[in-house]
Amino acid sequence: MEQVVKMVAEKAGISESQAKTAVNTVASFLKDKMPAGMASQVDAYLSGSGDSSSGIGGMADKVGGMFGKK
């Protein structure tokens, strides 16, 4: 999660404390909207135990690809 918080802080130009609040808010929102199995993958990814080539990381890559990001 710290890596995501640092990235948000840098890109948004806000403090790490503010970025952590933002990341937690977005994660909670996403988990509320997702099926239980997917919600646990958000937690796993943010805790650093998620695999970037599968699960939520893989999905993020696929979604990015849909919008032209490679």
Side-chain angles (χ1 to χ4, degrees):
M1 180 169 173
E2 292 304 313
Q3 186 177 17
V4 174
V5 169
K6 286 180 182 183
M7 180 182 64
V8 170
E10 288 175 12
K11 292 197 180 246
I14 58 177
S15 71
E16 285 192 19
S17 176
Q18 291 170 315
K20 187 171 187 172
T21 299
V23 169
N24 283 329
T25 301
V26 171
S28 293
F29 175 80
L30 291 174
K31 291 187 293 185
D32 286 345
K33 303 295 181 189
M34 295 177 158
M38 299 276 303
S40 65
Q41 289 185 15
V42 171
D43 286 331
Y45 183 78
L46 290 176
S47 71
S49 61
D51 180 359
S52 63
S53 64
S54 64
I56 193 94
M59 287 188 301
D61 292 341
K62 290 176 185 174
V63 170
M66 289 171 44
F67 294 101
K69 184 177 179 183
K70 296 185 184 208

